[in-house]
Amino acid sequence: MTDNPVSYAAIHPDWERARTSMADGYSLEMTANELDSLRAAAPLIRPRTQIAVTFLPGETVDQRVAAARLVRDLGFEPIVHLSARRLTSAAELDIYLARVTAEAGVRRVFVIAGDPSRSEGPFEDSLQIIDSGLLDRHGIAVVGIGGHPEGHPAVAREELWLWMERKLAAVRARGMLPLVVTQFGFDDDAIVNWVTELRARGIDVPVRIGVPGPAGIKRLLGFARRCGVGASAGVLRKYGISLTSLLGSAGPDRLVESLERRLGPDHGRVRLHLYPFGALTASAEWINGYAARH
């Protein structure tokens, strides 16, 4: 399961350069309602940084397209999320892809099943979106799929690997390039072990490791509960959070520094993906500070 890194460089040069720091080639994400926040943070973000636009309830297609267009207009690379179970029809997906590719030059998407327990339309999972043929029809070049270093509450671990291999094969079969983006987590051991197993299974695709941006501790734990992320006392203590004191904020310094030490050439192409949790400026400031210190 190997990919030609030059092909990835044609989409974005970050995947061709050797990584000198975990701050190299990071990506961010935003919601469709954070246009003003992105404008404020833009001077702190490196040109051509990849910024994902999420697919959340309560947003309109117009809002999502406007967000992707702003990402492009500010000199960054837009990636749009596609939430399978939130799509009400194949026509909705077709129209959205037509607009973001034409109006924002989108060539990268990230596909997920989504949170709803029941589908709002014809798509139950991300594989069905890939198999629909709509992505390649609209000129999408790179397709991101999810990775779960700490597992998934509703899917057995071995089944997660099987689904990943199916999705990677489906992406390649349609002439597109795959990318894996992981759920955010606090546990360096779980992340390193997962990347090690990924490579041992012969899955040699670029990986973006999801880490939480700096945020209030209560906010971080709230997102962890909502996303099913493990947050045991021992793991949080390693991260720098004490459950006996939920005041203040925390950043991913310890986690990223551990990944810096432990992820080497044998782990393949690995970069960071920051989940800002509504704090784009703080996340951009953090990654710049990390780069300056390392």
Side-chain angles (χ1 to χ4, degrees), residues 173-185:
R174 293 192 167 275
M176 300 176 290
L177 297 169
L179 170 75
V180 174
V181 184
T182 77
Q183 174 62 282
F184 82 91

Side-chain angles (χ1 to χ4, degrees), residues 97-143:
L97 288 171
R99 290 195 60 187
V100 293
T101 52
E103 298 179 38
V106 167
R107 298 187 68 198
R108 306 175 74 102
V109 300
F110 176 64
V111 291
I112 54 173
D115 295 330
S117 57
R118 292 187 178 182
S119 173
E120 298 175 20
F123 301 109
E124 288 286 343
D125 55 57
S126 52
L127 182 57
Q128 290 176 331
I129 289 181
I130 298 166
D131 285 339
S132 73
L134 288 171
L135 302 181
D136 39 305
R137 192 180 306 165
H138 285 284
I140 297 301
V142 177
V143 179

Side-chain angles (χ1 to χ4, degrees), residues 250-294:
D253 296 75
R254 291 187 189 182
L255 172 62
V256 176
E257 286 167 357
S258 176
L259 297 177
E260 186 95 59
R261 292 191 304 271
R262 300 173 65 183
L263 293 176
D266 291 345
H267 293 99
R269 286 166 283 162
V270 177
R271 299 289 189 271
L272 291 183
H273 177 70
L274 269 73
Y275 291 86
F277 303 132
L280 278 165
T281 295
S283 292
E285 289 174 339
W286 179 84
I287 196 71
N288 289 341
Y290 184 90
R293 293 192 300 275
H294 297 80

Side-chain angles (χ1 to χ4, degrees), residues 8 11 19 34 41 64 94 96 106 112 114 120-121 141 144 173 235 244 258 293:
Y8 278 94
I11 305 301
R19 193 187 78 231
E34 292 184 291
R64 294 182 185 124
D94 193 18
Y96 185 45
V106 167
I112 54 173
E120 298 175 20
V235 167
T244 60
S258 176
R293 293 192 300 275

Side-chain angles (χ1 to χ4, degrees), residues 199-220:
R199 300 315 187 198
R201 287 174 175 267
I203 302 174
D204 182 23
V205 299
V207 174
R208 287 201 175 278
I209 296 175
V211 298
I217 292 173
K218 288 185 178 180
R219 187 172 180 82
L220 285 173

Side-chain angles (χ1 to χ4, degrees), residues 140-184:
I140 297 301
V142 177
V143 179
I145 64 171
H148 300 85
E150 298 183 28
H152 190 287
V155 185
R157 193 170 187 88
E158 187 59 31
E159 193 174 348
L160 284 172
W161 288 116
L162 292 175
W163 273 106
M164 176 180 286
E165 290 172 354
R166 288 174 192 149
K167 286 183 277 191
L168 294 175
V171 170
R172 290 191 182 95
R174 293 192 167 275
M176 300 176 290
L177 297 169
L179 170 75
V180 174
V181 184
T182 77
Q183 174 62 282
F184 82 91

Side-chain angles (χ1 to χ4, degrees), residues 13-34:
D14 287 338
W15 294 116
E16 186 179 48
R17 301 189 186 109
R19 193 187 78 231
T20 58
S21 164
M22 287 302 292
D24 290 348
Y26 68 91
S27 59
L28 295 162
E29 71 179 46
M30 63 178 290
T31 71
N33 296 315
E34 292 184 291

Side-chain angles (χ1 to χ4, degrees), residues 83-99:
S83 179
R85 293 175 190 164
R86 294 195 191 281
L87 289 162
T88 59
S89 67
E92 180 186 356
L93 175 59
D94 193 18
I95 291 168
Y96 185 45
L97 288 171
R99 290 195 60 187

